[in-house]
Amino acid sequence: MGTWKTKNSNKKKEVSYISVPAQIINSVSSSSLHNFLDNKSSKKNTSKFFINLRNPKLWAFSLFLLSILGISLRLGLCLSHFGSGDHESQLLSSDSDGSSKSILGFAYSRSNTTQVEISNGKDRSLDTSVEKNETFGGDQSLLITSNGNVHDDKNYEFWKQPDGLGYKPCLDFSIEYRRESKNIVAERRKYLMVVVSGGLNQQKIQIVDAVVIARILGAVLVVPILQINLIWGDESEFSDIFDLEQFKSVLANDVKIVSLLPASKLMTRPSEDGSMPFNASPQWIRSHYLKRFNREGVLLLRRFDSRLSKDLPSDLQKLRCKVAFEALKFSPRVMEIGTKLAERMRSKGPYIALHLRMEKDVWVRTGCLSGLSSKYDEIVNIERIKRPELLTAKSSMTSNERKLAGLCPLNAKEVTRLLRALGAPRDARIYWAGGEPLGGKEALKPLTSEFPHLYNKYDIALPLELNPFAKRASIMAAIDYIVCKESDVFMASHGGNMGHAIQGHRAYEGHKKIITPNKRHMLPYFVNSSMTETEFEKMIKKLHRQSLGQPELRISKAGRDVTKYPVPECMCNQSNTTI
């Protein structure tokens, strides 16, 4: 199990080292490297061997041995299909702590000066000060389908991806929109400044809305200012998290974006506003802000999180998708580390990603209980009494009523039962994102006992690899976002901004499988002791038949965000290309 580990659990072993160029390390497998090292010591014996080959009797004997060897090899190939399971078990060696280690995973050698990494993935850069890292478990017979997807032969149904029904990104703006764009991108008089707050995904929502508001007002957008997060102390700027040049270039024909106010506007006192109502329409925005623009030329917006209406004209909905899925890419440095971790998770086949919302503040805010013990229930209740303003749920409902109404996060026991009922294989590798759960290691025991190959970013990163981002909560969240988005199956235990963002992103990129827990309908079956396990699994599968990432139309337009449900405004198939 890879989630909780002690750093110094492995005893040091004395090893001999030889200096090998990095280019060679990256281009050969572990066995090839051993052959490379052994070759050096056998050069002296080689010359003697070639002298002996002049003997005719030795030649005849060698030919006889070669023919025997050829027959053996052909027989071995025929039998290899029947012994694949044994072959896999031979690849696993037992470490000093009793856990299984695979030579197909990550192997590290350690010396006082340099360390090298030898592995079988795409990205295997050399790193310094590397200690032994944990490897990934799992013993799956993988198949490659005709479309390139990898899945487990025994668990095909679980890994099977939904049918996207031919929906693909479709951002065809109207002629009128394109005509207006020429004047808007040439604008030099009106400048919109915005301050965005909250966590990463909350910031993303506000940035998307800021671009749309700038378009509505025909204003130049100054690169958004990220408010320093008082909880995490994160001082990241826009370009630390997002690719600024990508942001500007993708939106070049929609909104003019500048990094700073021009010199002529630096002494201007911006007109500040923090009173935008919920569900503000384009008409409201124009009527309240255009006069200020004409007077001061610079408008500063704060506290506009989720204030812009979710039901906008078609072109503006497409613009929201364009910003969320194409313009707001993470910075190269963040993408590099996130992609590395995703590749390591995938190094032995498909993987599941979970966004677990089991932190102490989540239980406090939702008015729910973790289900761990009376000790932790008391901790949550005391915090809720001390800080009643944190409670975002209806205070008239008990915690049990909230749970049965589907308003609470799933705890580890419920996540485990749901995954098991939906057919997740026990040896599946699972990546979990989220903060430290209330109860720590104890809170995750139900998951790790059923699915032992459970990892988070700290388990699969090399030592020191995450150090540059230690005090950058938004960047850490971005790393989780990348690994979750790239997974074969994704599930969030309690919605939230990150779960919604990944749901929309995975839909936009081809409707990759996502499990949306049907909490309100499934939880009564969790407490029904009269049901057999077979009956329970059958009912859970039935409840989630239409909750596995299939295209879902944004029917309730007032309450549904297009960046979570991009069909049909931002995606189309042959039957709705005119939408």
Side-chain angles (χ1 to χ4, degrees):
M1 194 274 290
T3 304
W4 307 97
K5 61 178 186 294
T6 307
K7 244 184 180 180
N8 300 321
S9 60
N10 297 317
K11 295 181 179 179
K12 292 183 179 178
K13 298 179 182 178
E14 293 184 4
V15 200
S16 298
Y17 295 90
I18 183 168
S19 178
V20 182
Q23 293 84 350
I24 296 176
I25 294 292
N26 287 329
S27 62
V28 297
S29 65
S30 179
S31 58
S32 301
L33 180 62
H34 293 155
N35 292 336
F36 172 81
L37 297 176
D38 291 337
N39 191 42
K40 207 168 182 182
S41 61
S42 61
K43 280 186 177 178
K44 293 182 180 179
N45 297 329
T46 306
S47 56
K48 293 181 181 180
F49 176 74
F50 279 109
I51 292 172
N52 291 332
L53 284 179
R54 295 173 184 172
N55 190 327
K57 292 181 179 180
L58 184 58
W59 267 106
F61 183 66
S62 299
L63 288 173
F64 174 74
L65 286 178
L66 285 173
S67 63
I68 295 297
L69 180 61
I71 294 170
S72 300
L73 284 172
R74 292 187 66 181
L75 285 172
L77 286 171
C78 294
L79 294 172
S80 64
H81 295 291
F82 300 96
S84 58
D86 293 334
H87 176 67
E88 178 71 16
S89 63
Q90 290 170 8
L91 292 175
L92 297 172
S93 61
S94 182
D95 204 356
S96 58
D97 61 357
S99 60
S100 296
K101 305 292 178 183
S102 168
I103 63 172
L104 293 179
F106 302 97
Y108 303 96
S109 60
R110 183 177 182 180
S111 69
N112 293 330
T113 53
T114 59
Q115 293 77 27
V116 296
E117 175 188 354
I118 306 168
S119 61
N120 68 323
K122 293 180 182 178
D123 186 292
R124 298 296 178 257
S125 55
L126 299 181
D127 196 16
T128 57
S129 302
V130 175
E131 297 176 3
K132 187 174 182 180
N133 194 12
E134 297 204 31
T135 56
F136 299 98
D139 180 16
Q140 299 181 354
S141 304
L142 299 177
L143 297 177
I144 300 178
T145 60
S146 58
N147 61 358
N149 292 332
V150 180
H151 63 76
D152 183 288
D153 189 23
K154 297 176 292 184
N155 305 287
Y156 170 74
E157 282 302 318
F158 181 79
W159 297 116
K160 183 181 178 182
Q161 295 299 312
D163 184 352
L165 302 179
Y167 280 100
K168 294 181 180 179
C170 183
L171 301 180
D172 295 330
F173 294 95
S174 68
I175 296 174
E176 183 182 358
Y177 180 93
R178 293 197 298 269
R179 189 186 300 122
E180 291 174 352
S181 296
K182 295 178 181 179
N183 295 328
I184 289 174
V185 298
E187 175 62 46
R188 293 294 183 274
R189 296 176 296 106
K190 298 178 291 187
Y191 289 84
L192 175 64
M193 298 178 67
V194 296
V195 178
V196 301
S197 58
L200 170 72
N201 294 287
Q202 203 172 346
Q203 291 172 344
K204 286 179 66 178
I205 292 170
Q206 293 169 72
I207 293 168
V208 170
D209 286 354
V211 173
V212 176
I213 293 170
R215 172 76 193 198
I216 292 170
L217 295 170
V220 179
L221 177 66
V222 181
V223 171
I225 301 165
L226 309 189
Q227 183 174 308
I228 296 175
N229 194 298
L230 298 177
I231 298 175
W232 301 293
D234 191 341
E235 299 181 2
S236 299
E237 296 181 0
F238 186 97
S239 58
D240 294 325
I241 304 171
F242 304 105
D243 188 332
L244 180 56
E245 294 309 312
Q246 169 88 0
F247 184 64
K248 288 180 178 180
S249 62
V250 169
L251 299 172
N253 295 324
D254 304 280
V255 175
K256 175 72 175 176
I257 300 173
V258 297
S259 298
L260 298 167
L261 280 174
S264 61
K265 299 288 184 181
L266 287 177
M267 300 305 292
T268 304
R269 182 181 178 86
S271 176
E272 186 172 341
D273 186 273
S275 60
M276 185 185 295
F278 287 105
N279 294 318
S281 66
Q283 293 77 15
W284 187 94
I285 290 170
R286 290 190 189 98
S287 65
H288 281 73
Y289 295 139
L290 281 178
K291 288 182 180 178
R292 299 190 188 191
F293 264 137
N294 294 332
R295 191 168 60 245
E296 284 92 6
V298 180
L299 174 66
L300 173 62
L301 292 184
R302 298 175 183 269
R303 298 182 295 278
F304 63 100
D305 183 18
S306 297
R307 301 297 177 105
L308 182 64
S309 172
K310 300 293 186 288
D311 190 16
L312 299 171
S314 178
D315 285 322
L316 294 181
Q317 294 289 58
K318 288 181 170 62
L319 179 58
R320 297 189 82 230
C321 289
K322 188 174 183 178
V323 180
F325 305 135
E326 298 183 9
L328 268 184
K329 300 290 186 182
F330 294 118
S331 67
R333 187 171 70 146
V334 175
M335 283 299 300
E336 180 184 15
I337 182 66
T339 303
K340 278 183 181 180
L341 299 194
E343 286 177 352
R344 288 172 194 167
M345 281 303 301
R346 195 181 296 285
S347 64
K348 288 190 67 183
Y351 69 94
I352 305 166
L354 302 176
H355 185 215
L356 300 179
R357 304 301 311 279
M358 301 194 298
E359 303 95 323
K360 176 183 172 182
D361 70 295
V362 175
W363 297 118
V364 172
R365 285 188 291 103
T366 56
C368 302
L369 297 176
S370 64
L372 288 171
S373 66
S374 57
K375 168 189 169 184
Y376 293 108
D377 290 348
E378 186 66 19
I379 291 173
V380 171
N381 283 326
I382 290 173
E383 189 70 22
R384 201 175 290 146
I385 293 170
K386 283 167 52 180
R387 303 184 64 187
E389 72 278 5
L390 293 178
L391 182 63
T392 56
K394 294 179 180 178
S395 58
S396 59
M397 298 175 70
T398 66
S399 59
N400 190 53
E401 287 172 337
R402 290 191 186 99
K403 176 176 279 293
L404 291 177
L407 301 175
C408 293
L410 297 178
N411 59 33
K413 186 182 295 185
E414 291 157 349
V415 169
T416 303
R417 286 202 74 189
L418 176 58
L419 287 176
R420 194 171 57 196
L422 292 175
R426 190 176 188 276
D427 59 357
R429 285 165 300 284
I430 300 178
Y431 180 91
W432 70 274
E436 179 77 7
L438 175 68
K441 181 179 180 180
E442 183 183 343
L444 290 177
K445 267 186 179 178
L447 252 176
T448 55
S449 61
E450 185 66 28
F451 299 101
H453 307 302
L454 185 69
Y455 311 94
N456 65 11
K457 54 183 170 288
Y458 300 103
D459 296 313
I460 59 177
L462 307 181
L464 307 183
E465 200 168 22
L466 295 177
N467 279 18
F469 317 114
K471 294 184 179 180
R472 307 283 183 171
S474 291
I475 293 179
M476 288 294 202
I479 293 169
D480 275 342
Y481 186 100
I482 294 167
V483 183
C484 288
K485 185 178 75 69
E486 294 301 317
S487 65
D488 297 88
V489 178
F490 171 74
M491 185 178 86
S493 66
H494 185 58
N497 291 327
M498 179 169 167
H500 293 169
I502 291 178
Q503 177 178 331
H505 212 148
R506 287 169 71 88
Y508 191 78
E509 292 189 349
H511 288 93
K512 293 192 288 185
K513 185 169 183 176
I514 178 170
I515 300 169
T516 304
N518 191 339
K519 290 186 285 188
R520 188 162 64 89
H521 289 100
M522 77 179 188
L523 286 174
Y525 297 105
F526 277 65
V527 295
N528 187 345
S529 58
S530 64
M531 291 184 75
T532 65
E533 197 62 26
T534 302
E535 290 172 333
F536 174 79
E537 290 179 4
K538 184 177 180 180
M539 183 56 65
I540 293 300
K541 286 180 179 177
K542 182 179 179 181
L543 287 175
H544 291 85
R545 196 170 294 158
Q546 300 302 321
S547 305
L548 300 175
Q550 304 92 330
E552 190 172 353
L553 295 179
R554 197 178 73 92
I555 300 169
S556 175
K557 295 189 176 182
R560 288 190 164 190
D561 190 338
V562 71
T563 58
K564 182 182 177 183
Y565 302 97
V567 178
E569 283 94 341
C570 303
M571 302 184 74
C572 53
N573 58 18
Q574 291 181 348
S575 63
N576 74 336
T577 51
T578 58
I579 292 179

